[in-house]
Amino acid sequence: MRIVATILAAGRATRLGLDKTMFPLGGRPVWQWSYETYRSHPSVDSVFVVCSETNRASVSSSAPQVVLGGATRQESVFRALQAAGDADVILLHDAARPFITHSVISRVLEAIERCGAAAAAVPVTDTIKDVRDGRVTTLDRSTLYAMQTPQGAKLDLLRQAHAAATEDATDDLALLERIGVQVELAAGDVGNFKITTMEDLERARQRVGGETRTGLGYDVHPFSDDPSKVLMLGGVAFEGHCALEGHSDADVVLHAATDALLGAAALGDIGQHFPNTDPAWKGAASLTFLRAAGELLEVDGWSLVNLDISVVAETPKVMSRALEMRTAIAQALRIEVDRVSVKATTNERLGFIGRGEGIAALATATIRR
């Protein structure tokens, strides 16, 4: 018996607002967790992924067999059935369920062998109310089950069910039931939950354990001879002091901090994202760069643990305004002030900094997901 598994990763994630299957989870995207589990199952002969236009390139880099999905789940499953070729059995799995196990897969396959169609399910443990036209009815939860995936069947049966379908169904077995196929529910696993909300994603990340990284940023700028410029350090204006020379506002502190954030997440550096050859950044406030770096980290699933900055300068006196700088940085990154540290030292009159020719800054960022 030839068994094909399909990972359904073409959904539009309307409830979460983002493609949840592509969120990083323990160093790899959510969809890849179930993909690898099916690939390693001894009874599964091949695995392919049904993807969308937006995630196709990323999925294809890790999965050699991909199929472009449709506008609905049912259409995506129909395309999977076409791609299954001459397989005897097809298993359909939601990519947003990363923690499927070999045991659950085996139980579903055994049930399919007995009756032709089956799915993983778990008994409902909460009391369920049916509310219709203002009337509330308590249902007997002893007869209720919450559906999971995989859902699967002999390929010819599922093809017949789709050919006879006159309306959409969110459950693959529902189409089989409509044509009179008796399906079996195999014991699922409460750990085989579906990532639907950000709370679900956080629960998944806690299960696989966190990842912590550190990034280092360094920048240096010479003093400018333009009297119209204002010295900016950490997003704070130091009026009356000689400014720094640079394409943007030359905030050496924020440039170092931005590079530390980007470096920690391996997202390049400030020059790649905001090149000094681009006129759009001429005179730009460096808080813009810092905010953008923080947003990139959030999209990639990272949170900032802390940011530690050291300013190396003979003048001005930085520590008297360190709290202002910390506050500006914290607000830009939407974190608490106590996660930002600003320190200052001189270069003991050594080198170009000691001669008062410029200012340098170093930053270390610790991030976690």
Side-chain angles (χ1 to χ4, degrees), residues 3 31-32 69 75 91 119 134 154 186 192 203 267 298 308 323-324 326 340 353 356 361:
I3 299 169
W31 70 266
Q32 198 169 350
E75 186 177 345
L91 294 174
K154 292 181 178 178
N192 183 28
R203 175 185 172 193
L267 293 173
E298 288 180 10
D308 184 24
L323 180 58
E324 291 178 65
R326 292 171 59 206
V340 180
I353 294 177

Side-chain angles (χ1 to χ4, degrees), residues 327-364:
T327 301
I329 292 168
Q331 288 176 347
L333 295 172
R334 294 180 296 188
I335 60 174
E336 298 86 354
V337 174
D338 63 5
R339 295 194 189 192
V340 180
S341 170
V342 172
K343 310 184 301 295
T345 186
T346 69
N347 220 37
E348 298 295 339
R349 301 190 180 278
L350 298 175
F352 72 93
I353 294 177
R355 294 191 297 269
E357 297 173 6
I359 297 176
L362 302 94
T364 302

Side-chain angles (χ1 to χ4, degrees), residues 111-140:
I112 292 172
E113 192 170 359
R114 286 192 294 269
C115 70
V122 292
V124 170
T125 57
D126 294 326
T127 297
I128 304 297
K129 301 285 187 179
D130 184 1
V131 182
R132 303 186 194 187
D133 300 323
R135 183 183 177 87
V136 180
T137 304
T138 302
L139 302 181
D140 180 4

Side-chain angles (χ1 to χ4, degrees), residues 117-318:
V122 292
V124 170
T125 57
D126 294 326
T127 297
I128 304 297
K129 301 285 187 179
D130 184 1
V131 182
R132 303 186 194 187
D133 300 323
R135 183 183 177 87
V136 180
T137 304
T138 302
L139 302 181
D140 180 4
R141 69 183 181 190
S142 67
T143 65
L144 299 177
Y145 284 79
M147 299 304 298
Q148 296 184 337
T149 58
Q151 299 193 4
K154 292 181 178 178
L155 187 58
D156 58 344
L157 288 178
L158 205 48
R159 283 174 172 166
Q160 290 174 36
H162 271 261
T166 57
E167 57 185 36
D168 283 349
T170 58
D171 181 274
D172 301 303
L173 295 193
L175 296 178
L176 290 164
E177 293 165 10
R178 290 174 189 172
I179 63 170
V181 175
Q182 182 63 44
V183 303
E184 183 175 328
L185 299 186
D189 185 341
V190 293
N192 183 28
F193 63 89
K194 187 176 183 179
I195 296 175
T196 304
T197 66
M198 291 303 294
E199 289 76 16
D200 296 330
L201 181 62
E202 182 59 31
R203 175 185 172 193
R205 285 176 172 159
Q206 289 177 358
R207 174 166 171 166
V208 302
E211 179 183 5
T212 302
R213 294 185 187 178
T214 302
L216 174 67
Y218 172 80
D219 196 34
V220 60
H221 282 273
F223 285 119
S224 170
D225 57 7
D226 185 346
S228 66
K229 288 186 173 182
V230 176
L231 175 64
M232 298 296 299
L233 293 177
V236 174
F238 284 72
E239 300 284 354
H241 193 284
C242 184
L244 293 171
E245 186 61 47
H247 184 68
S248 62
D249 65 2
D251 192 324
V252 66
V253 172
L254 297 187
H255 292 184
T258 300
D259 261 349
L261 294 176
L262 294 172
L267 293 173
D269 64 21
I270 192 170
Q272 290 175 276
H273 293 275
F274 309 101
N276 59 12
T277 55
D278 188 340
W281 310 121
K282 179 68 174 176
S286 295
L287 282 172
T288 302
F289 308 153
L290 187 68
R291 287 193 196 96
E295 290 167 1
L296 285 173
L297 263 64
E298 288 180 10
V299 169
D300 216 24
W302 295 100
S303 60
L304 180 60
V305 178
N306 77 297
L307 182 63
D308 184 24
I309 303 167
S310 291
V311 184
V312 187
E314 299 299 323
T315 60
K317 298 298 183 182
V318 170

